[in-house]
Amino acid sequence: SNTTGHLWARDNFDARSHFPPSRCRRSSCRQWTRSMLMLDGPDTFVDTGEANHGKDLMKTQPIRTELTKAAQARQCLGDRTVVFVGLMGAGKSVIGKMTAAAMQVPFVDSDHEIEHVSRMSIADLFEKYGEVEFRALEARVISRLLKGGPMVLSTGGGAFMQESVRADIKESGLSVWLRADLDVLWERVKRRYHRPLLKTADPKATLSALLGARYPIYGEADMIVQSRDTGKEIIVDEVLEAIIAYAAVSSKQTVRGSNNER
Ligand code: S3P
């Protein structure tokens, strides 16, 4: 569904008054250049360097923009990274991939990146080096990845539990906690045996204990979206809406903060 974009809320927004054109780059031409709307790039309008040959620019209609929700969220992102956090089975990778595709930014999964740099599976890393070493590597990898925004990054369930990781994410990311109920998570993870933390006598009880310990910390994320058994597109849509709403609120806070300092 299309929503009216941010240049937008004002009716008859005229790009020319905000992005004044220059003279056409064709040497013989004395006309003013046109501005063009770019939906995908970081700049909203670019000067095309070309005049509206044959047409009088001042008689053209004011440019009105319609941005899709995804394009709007992409604009709010700037060069930051959307970071998905949450328990195993919450859908961080699937929803992350779809969100990245919608916003047309790269997608990275921190566990895959860890496996790539170590040339080992997560299970082997846990077994050979232990969880402490795994966490140190995880923190380093995430810190490096966060420098490469804009993108969408899905993180392993334990990553956000590390204080240094949370601090890094706060600095250059927008965190989204995909929250899910125990039964939803359990249905999704119970027949998959690659997760070292769930190799216990009673994995559902283990998952439940992790939920109890982690949910207060996950709650520090910038946004919370409820993961549940519904269409994935619906969850992605809610993520995009959350990003737009969060960006609006956090930029207001910045303005208020700088007013207070004066
Ligand atoms: C872990 C979750 C896993 C993986 C590792 C530890 C955790 O990632 O990083 O097995 O501590 O919750 P997923 O959340 O993608 O399963």
Side-chain angles (χ1 to χ4, degrees):
S1 66
N2 277 344
T3 33
T4 313
H6 95 246
L7 299 166
W8 52 80
R10 272 169 285 156
D11 237 5
N12 290 325
F13 176 86
D14 186 347
R16 287 164 301 171
S17 57
H18 292 259
F19 306 91
S22 49
R23 290 283 184 189
C24 181
R25 63 173 166 239
R26 287 197 204 168
S27 55
S28 58
C29 177
R30 299 282 304 150
Q31 291 185 44
W32 295 104
T33 55
R34 295 183 292 168
S35 293
M36 231 175 71
L37 176 66
M38 305 293 283
L39 283 184
D40 298 323
D43 306 311
T44 308
F45 285 91
V46 293
D47 193 323
T48 61
E50 281 250 68
N52 225 15
H53 296 282
K55 289 180 195 156
D56 180 354
L57 180 71
M58 301 318 281
K59 279 187 193 151
T60 58
Q61 287 298 305
I63 300 167
R64 291 188 62 191
T65 64
E66 290 266 304
L67 295 185
T68 62
K69 212 178 276 182
Q72 235 180 306
R74 168 66 189 87
Q75 231 176 30
C76 295
L77 190 60
D79 58 8
R80 293 176 291 186
T81 293
V82 177
V83 185
F84 282 97
V85 307
L87 264 188
M88 303 172 253
K92 291 164 292 184
S93 298
V94 175
I95 301 298
K97 236 174 254 173
M98 289 174 68
T99 305
M103 291 198 295
Q104 299 183 19
V105 296
F107 170 76
V108 184
D109 177 316
S110 69
D111 278 347
H112 288 172
E113 187 65 16
I114 291 166
E115 291 184 328
H116 179 73
V117 297
S118 66
R119 295 164 194 267
M120 289 173 88
S121 69
I122 301 290
D124 285 347
L125 273 169
F126 265 74
E127 202 181 302
K128 294 219 172 77
Y129 296 100
E131 183 168 350
V132 174
E133 283 296 315
F134 170 77
R135 295 298 174 201
L137 177 58
E138 180 177 55
R140 282 203 301 279
V141 164
I142 290 174
S143 165
R144 171 173 59 77
L145 290 174
L146 282 169
K147 297 190 175 88
M151 64 175 166
V152 173
L153 172 66
S154 76
T155 59
F160 202 66
M161 298 303 293
Q162 303 196 63
E163 207 180 322
S164 72
V165 173
R166 285 201 298 284
D168 285 342
I169 293 173
K170 194 97 226 147
E171 203 179 300
S172 41
L174 297 179
S175 48
V176 182
W177 171 23
L178 278 184
R179 183 176 57 195
D181 296 339
L182 180 63
D183 288 331
V184 170
L185 296 169
W186 177 242
E187 282 307 311
R188 293 179 186 168
V189 302
K190 69 179 181 192
R191 270 180 285 275
R192 310 199 61 198
Y193 304 103
H194 64 281
R195 293 184 167 100
L197 290 185
L198 296 182
K199 287 181 178 148
T200 61
D202 185 351
K204 189 173 181 185
T206 306
L207 193 59
S208 172
L210 284 171
L211 189 148
R214 290 178 174 183
Y215 275 21
I217 306 289
Y218 290 157
E220 291 179 25
D222 298 322
M223 292 158 264
I224 303 175
V225 172
Q226 187 74 21
S227 177
R228 56 205 188 273
D229 287 326
T230 180
K232 295 181 188 76
E233 301 73 21
I234 295 174
I235 312 277
V236 172
D237 206 59
E238 290 177 4
V239 169
L240 297 173
E241 275 172 8
I243 293 168
I244 295 163
Y246 179 79
V249 171
S250 59
S251 70
K252 266 188 216 135
Q253 277 169 351
T254 312
V255 172
R256 228 181 278 134
S258 57
N259 280 344
N260 289 345
E261 277 159 32
R262 268 187 239 129

